[in-house]
Amino acid sequence: EAGVAQSPRYKIIEKRQSVAFWCNPISGHATLYWYQQILGQGPKLLIQFQNNGVVDDSQLPKDRFSAERLKGVDSTLKIQPAKLEDSAVYLCASSPLRGYEQFFGPGTRLTVL
Amino acid sequence: AQRVTQPEKLLSVFKGAPVELKCNYSYSGSPELFWYVQYSRQRLQLLLRHISRESIKGFTADLNKGETSFHLKKPFAQEEDSAMYYCALRSGGTSYGKLTFGQGTILTVHP
């Protein structure tokens, strides 16, 4: 079975620019997660979707971050405008509905200069 | 609020030695705990889950509710165990499925 796909793998932007990340979960997985992993820290959940509805976005900085999940499948995460402290790896994961295991993508490494 | 603490950022052992990666948690409900692992140039993946009480790749972890700990143990470390290990706690309730990760421990097993 194909794994979680993410693109791009790397992105370098200047502060105040905008950036978008894309995630394609494992086919049939109802739940999709976006995590932010800052160097030296564990992943932190930004937003969790179940199908195309938001379950948890309590740690999403909504003044600059937005996310959507179209038709309950693919998802995009956007940052507008980016700040230096947004430099991190952005991980997408998916799981079956009520499944306990999360399957992670390779991540997108963002560098904000 | 829930929290997961891994007190050791780095852990080095020699091949064949026992290894223990520490994890402590705080959570007001009934915890569900996991260990995830990331090998070099690979994706983050599940290693084991406390409910299953399995031994995966020789690793075991026991949930100690009295000490609020979920330490990962292996009696004889192998070089291929070198990786980043994360302890994680899963929420229930309205945030069902949300994982809270610790900071991770880099395990290096020397030949």
Side-chain angles (χ1 to χ4, degrees):
Chain A
E1 121 187 308
V4 176
Q6 290 187 247
S7 68
R9 294 294 310 279
Y10 305 92
K11 189 76 177 177
I12 300 174
I13 62 173
E14 295 190 349
K15 60 184 179 183
R16 292 188 288 273
Q17 286 188 320
S18 301
V19 65
F21 312 127
W22 174 82
C23 173
N24 180 240
I26 292 172
S27 177
H29 281 191
T31 311
L32 185 148
Y33 312 82
W34 281 104
Y35 290 87
Q36 179 192 58
Q37 186 172 20
I38 292 171
L39 187 65
Q41 300 181 19
K44 181 183 82 171
L45 181 72
L46 293 176
I47 188 166
Q48 175 182 341
F49 293 94
Q50 188 165 297
N51 296 310
N52 58 355
V54 175
V55 174
D56 188 329
D57 64 356
S58 58
Q59 298 188 99
L60 186 73
K62 298 181 187 61
D63 58 333
R64 298 185 300 108
F65 285 64
S66 63
E68 60 180 3
R69 189 178 184 195
L70 301 174
K71 301 180 182 177
V73 182
D74 292 7
S75 177
T76 57
L77 176 69
K78 296 179 182 177
I79 308 175
Q80 181 179 10
K83 292 185 176 182
L84 296 176
E85 58 261 35
D86 298 331
S87 293
V89 175
Y90 290 85
L91 295 167
C92 179
S94 69
S95 67
L97 187 66
R98 296 294 175 180
Y100 64 85
E101 182 173 359
Q102 294 188 19
F103 296 84
F104 285 82
T108 297
R109 183 176 298 278
L110 173 68
T111 302
V112 182
L113 303 175
Chain B
Q2 59 209 56
R3 176 178 288 211
V4 177
T5 303
Q6 294 178 251
E8 304 139 328
K9 276 195 171 293
L10 302 170
L11 186 61
S12 289
V13 300
F14 286 99
K15 177 182 173 181
V19 64
E20 180 179 69
L21 290 84
K22 291 184 169 46
C23 171
N24 291 90
Y25 67 89
S26 62
Y27 182 57
S28 56
S30 183
E32 188 173 4
L33 287 150
F34 303 84
W35 279 96
Y36 277 77
V37 62
Q38 188 165 24
Y39 300 102
S40 179
R41 287 186 285 278
Q42 293 189 28
R43 303 176 182 207
L44 191 60
Q45 60 187 285
L46 178 65
L47 178 62
L48 57 79
R49 164 191 192 212
H50 91 270
I51 288 177
S52 62
R53 301 184 67 83
E54 293 175 298
S55 172
I56 306 292
K57 299 184 178 182
F59 284 98
T60 58
D62 290 319
L63 177 62
N64 185 323
K65 291 186 179 181
E67 295 183 358
T68 59
S69 68
F70 187 56
H71 303 328
L72 183 68
K73 300 177 185 179
K74 185 169 183 176
F76 307 104
Q78 302 300 314
E79 289 178 70
E80 55 265 31
D81 297 329
S82 296
M84 172 71 94
Y85 291 81
Y86 293 98
C87 183
L89 183 151
R90 189 166 82 154
S91 305
T94 56
S95 292
Y96 189 84
K98 172 182 175 179
L99 282 177
T100 299
F101 285 88
Q103 291 181 302
T105 298
I106 300 173
L107 173 65
T108 303
V109 181
H110 300 284

